[in-house]
């Protein structure tokens, strides 16, 4: 569930953290309908949750909300047990890429009609909506999103004579080369940042895996996916990022904080770590969406985030959906965006973060968001991720087509349960 680390990083913006596996009890009277909601630790602040609870119970006097805060560690088996009827809550927050796994159990409520009628599902961010829909059935209601942007050092850009962030891949490469001429690293990109690679593959029209034939097949060896890897290789060569490690080894925030790296690709919340390491960079950090192939649209990005689901065996299924309708509706989406610096579930709501450079850049990129392949077995791919060694092999001089073929075969085996 490495995509959850993306959201965990965003949660650093929170000023108040919720306690793990705690309960925020309801305040309604004994005759109330109790709706139990599982939310994940640090998804929202305690203040946000208190305000939502108070507002919702005032407008729904017959409802008592009980929030139970869960830890991401070990959450998969716990949700599966709950869906099977063991201490089943009425609403569960899940990672957007986990919905397929839980839908496979057959124990999720179909929310297709409700989402179309009440929530304007046609306008949802694709990176949240698509993984929540399995076989044309909407099981997951998009709640919030976060994605990667380019974080840059404004002083280094100014010193290199670069007045505006690039809008196209070609200009991005040219600017990064210019930044290198001043003795800095134009781009620090580790060799195994496979979520970034996924965006470049999607830009070319490719996929990490393809399930259109009825059976999932790894597809890193398609011409489109190989073009995405070719661009990654070109960009990665513009700095000294390790070819055999990801963005955590060493932490790229620490590398950027040294002051001679012009750009990294990360979530905006990484700036919190950068400034903690080097407070002198305060006011010097800028943000822009990953550039696209043309200036008409930013580059594709992996969208991490959360969906809300209703167990089919929940006691209060209808009342649970009403809570989801509020959380996913315009009012509380705007509150969530301004409180947590998340991207709202609809592009039309992004106006609330105008003026917030980092979040606005993230929201612009989110319009080109995607999720990992919508297979219930995708977690098995990430458990022993063959994409990362494939990337290293290519960056170290291996034949891209042969390495991609071998990695695709491993993805196919994992998706088949082998």
């Amino acid at each position: 569930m490495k995509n959850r680390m993306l959201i965990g990083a965003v949660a650093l913006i929170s000023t108040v953290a919720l306690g793990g596996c705690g309960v925020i009890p309801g305040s309604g009277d004994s005759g109330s309908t109790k709706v139990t909601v599982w939310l994940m630790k640090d998804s929202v602040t305690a203040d946000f949750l208190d305000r939502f609870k108070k507002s919702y119970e005032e407008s729904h006097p017959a409802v008592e909300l009980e929030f139970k805060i869960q830890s991401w560690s070990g959450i998969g088996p716990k949700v599966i047990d709950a869906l099977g009827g063991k201490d089943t809550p009425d609403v569960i927050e899940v990672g957007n890429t986990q919905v397929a796994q839980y839908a496979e159990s057959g124990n999720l409520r179909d929310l297709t009609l409700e989402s179309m009628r009440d929530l304007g599902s046609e306008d949802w961010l694709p990176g949240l909506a698509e993984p929540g829909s399995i076989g044309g059935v909407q099981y997951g209601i998009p709640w919030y999103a976060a994605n990667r942007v380019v974080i840059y050092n404004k002083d280094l850009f100014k010193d290199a004579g670069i007045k505006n962030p690039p809008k196209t891949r070609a200009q991005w490469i040219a600017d990064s080369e210019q930044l290198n001429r001043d003795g800095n690293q134009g781009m620090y990109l580790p060799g195994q940042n496979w979520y970034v690679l996924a965006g470049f593959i999607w830009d070319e029209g490719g996929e990490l895996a393809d399930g259109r034939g009825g059976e999932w097949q790894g597809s890193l060896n398609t011409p489109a996916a190989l073009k995405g890897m070719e661009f990654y290789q070109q960009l990665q060569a513009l700095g000294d990022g390790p070819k055999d490690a990801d963005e955590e080894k060493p932490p790229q925030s620490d590398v950027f904080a040294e002051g001679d790296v012009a750009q990294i690709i990360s979530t905006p919340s990484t700036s919190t770590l950068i400034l903690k390491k080097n407070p002198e960079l305060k006011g010097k950090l800028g943000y822009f969406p990953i550039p696209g192939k043309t200036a008409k649209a930013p580059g594709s990005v992996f969208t991490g985030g959360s969906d809300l689901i209703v167990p089919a065996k929940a006691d209060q299924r209808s009342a649970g959906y009403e809570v989801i309708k509020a959380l996913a509706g315009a009012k509380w989406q705007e509150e969530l965006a301004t409180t947590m610096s998340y991207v709202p579930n609809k592009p039309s709501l992004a106006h609330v973060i105008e003026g917030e450079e980092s979040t606005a850049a993230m929201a612009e990129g989110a319009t080109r968001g995607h999720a990992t392949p919508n297979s219930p077995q995708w977690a098995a791919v990430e458990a022993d991720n063959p994409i990362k060694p494939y990337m290293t092999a290519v960056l170290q001089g291996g034949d891209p087509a042969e390495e991609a073929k071998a990695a695709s075969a491993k993805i196919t085996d994992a998706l088949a349960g082998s």
Side-chain angles (χ1 to χ4, degrees), residues 180-226:
N180 274 338
R181 295 191 186 105
D182 294 329
N184 300 306
Q185 287 192 65
M187 167 63 68
Y188 180 86
L189 179 60
Q192 294 185 348
N193 196 330
W194 69 278
Y195 284 117
V196 173
L197 170 64
F200 299 156
I201 290 175
W202 292 323
D203 276 345
E204 299 293 348
E207 296 288 346
L208 302 175
D210 190 340
R212 287 175 295 180
E215 294 184 4
W216 284 95
Q217 303 284 328
S219 55
L220 294 176
N221 55 328
T222 62
L226 288 169

Side-chain angles (χ1 to χ4, degrees), residues 54-209:
K54 180 179 179 181
S55 173
Y56 193 86
E57 290 182 346
E58 285 179 350
S59 60
H60 299 77
V63 174
E64 174 188 354
L65 294 182
E66 179 185 48
F67 291 99
K68 293 187 176 181
I69 309 304
Q70 309 294 326
S71 171
W72 284 110
S73 178
I75 191 60
K78 189 170 184 178
V79 170
I80 292 295
D81 286 346
L83 295 177
K86 184 177 179 181
D87 191 25
T88 306
D90 303 302
V91 176
I92 306 176
E93 175 194 352
V94 300
N96 61 323
T97 61
Q98 296 173 328
V99 178
Q101 173 188 354
Y102 300 139
E104 191 180 36
S105 71
N107 291 321
L108 296 187
R109 180 178 173 180
D110 179 352
L111 300 173
T112 307
L113 293 179
E114 290 91 336
S115 65
M116 294 174 65
R117 180 190 66 214
D118 302 325
L119 294 171
S121 58
E122 68 278 2
D123 294 329
W124 281 336
L125 290 171
L128 287 181
E130 291 170 1
S133 177
I134 313 298
V137 178
Q138 195 73 42
Y139 293 110
I141 303 299
W143 192 23
Y144 63 79
N147 49 266
R148 289 163 176 80
V149 299
V150 181
I151 301 176
Y152 72 100
N153 186 314
K154 291 182 176 180
D155 281 357
L156 297 185
F157 267 56
K158 182 179 179 180
D159 292 344
I162 301 171
K163 296 181 179 180
N164 299 302
K167 295 287 188 180
T168 66
R169 280 191 187 181
Q171 190 60 52
W172 195 19
I173 293 294
D175 287 350
S176 299
E177 290 174 341
Q178 178 64 34
L179 289 157
N180 274 338
R181 295 191 186 105
D182 294 329
N184 300 306
Q185 287 192 65
M187 167 63 68
Y188 180 86
L189 179 60
Q192 294 185 348
N193 196 330
W194 69 278
Y195 284 117
V196 173
L197 170 64
F200 299 156
I201 290 175
W202 292 323
D203 276 345
E204 299 293 348
E207 296 288 346
L208 302 175

